[in-house]
Amino acid sequence: MGFGIRLKVWGEYACFTRPEMKVERVSYDVMTPSAARGLLESIHWKPAIRWVIDRIHVLNEIRFDTIRRNELENKISPRLVQAAMKSGMSPLSQLITEERQQRATLLLRQVAYVIEAHFVLTEKAGGEDLPEKHYGMFLRRARQGQTFHQPYLGCREFAANFEILEPKDACPKSYYYEISDKDLGWMLWDLDYEEEMTPQFFRAAMRHGIVEIPDLKR
């Protein structure tokens, strides 16, 4: 196991979209491992390391709300992008007034989590990629609030706040601390990009406010 970290994250809104919902967005009850990994990568990531999520602490009560949002009906196709790159003159644009759709979103409100994770070195690690080096870089960036891009909670419009929990800091107590077991059903673990973006799922359960995350890439 690599060097472990604990990061507290929170925000006003979050939406960890269930992939089985084709049109309307519906959030999982809690943060997914892939969302937690993406948040850590926004602070520090290199090809030499892979973040592994160990557990997620659910600090606040799970509260849902419904909103309606304007979304684009379609995306620009790769074929049009390639044509624009080759010609240098092809128009490449979308008009929101012509392709706007109003869709409902079932999202989470007032969320807060503690992410426990560690990283492992990948096959792309070189001689200079020491675990101590990357651990120190992450701690320095997290303490100073430095990111490569704005961390978010499932959707980019739902910005995330974060702070590192030092080894001496006690983990905040979960709202569900006294609940021994809560089944969360099947949850998306991540996408396997080596197998043509194959989704991987695991059976999630929350025990005393903590969701243990398996490492399916071992």
Side-chain angles (χ1 to χ4, degrees), residues 20-160:
E20 66 268 26
M21 303 301 180
K22 299 297 184 182
V23 179
E24 313 294 343
R25 291 183 185 271
V26 177
S27 178
Y28 282 108
D29 289 18
V30 303
M31 171 183 275
T32 60
S34 58
R37 175 184 56 78
L39 200 149
L40 296 179
E41 289 179 351
S42 72
I43 300 173
H44 175 66
W45 177 83
K46 297 289 183 182
I49 66 172
R50 175 176 70 89
W51 283 105
V52 179
I53 309 302
D54 298 316
R55 57 192 60 88
I56 296 173
H57 299 244
V58 182
L59 302 183
N60 291 353
E61 180 184 8
I62 298 171
R63 297 169 54 197
F64 284 96
D65 202 351
T66 302
I67 64 172
R68 297 191 70 85
R69 300 188 296 170
N70 292 327
E71 297 186 5
L72 281 171
E73 180 179 0
N74 298 302
K75 295 186 292 186
I76 298 176
S77 69
R79 179 179 58 81
L80 293 178
V81 174
Q82 292 173 357
M85 293 173 63
K86 289 181 180 179
S87 67
M89 299 179 62
S90 298
L92 193 63
S93 62
Q94 284 183 292
L95 297 178
I96 184 65
T97 54
E98 296 180 2
E99 300 187 60
R100 179 169 52 207
Q101 281 193 350
Q102 215 176 48
R103 292 175 177 169
T105 298
L106 184 64
L107 47 72
L108 298 164
R109 295 195 62 181
Q110 302 298 331
V111 299
Y113 308 98
V114 170
I115 302 169
E116 288 192 50
H118 69 278
F119 63 85
V120 295
L121 297 179
T122 69
E123 66 278 1
K124 296 182 180 180
E128 72 282 0
D129 289 304
L130 301 176
E132 296 86 349
K133 170 186 172 182
H134 289 284
Y135 179 67
M137 291 173 66
F138 178 87
L139 289 183
R140 184 174 62 254
R141 293 178 61 84
R143 286 166 179 161
Q144 297 176 357
Q146 295 178 325
T147 61
F148 293 110
H149 59 79
Q150 173 64 53
Y152 55 90
L153 296 164
C155 296
R156 291 187 182 274
E157 59 265 43
F158 302 146

Side-chain angles (χ1 to χ4, degrees), residues 185-203:
W186 289 99
M187 178 179 287
L188 177 68
W189 182 76
D190 214 328
L191 296 176
D192 187 349
Y193 292 95
E194 297 178 359
E195 297 292 336
E196 298 182 351
M197 296 183 65
T198 302
Q200 296 177 294
F201 295 87
F202 74 105
R203 189 76 182 191

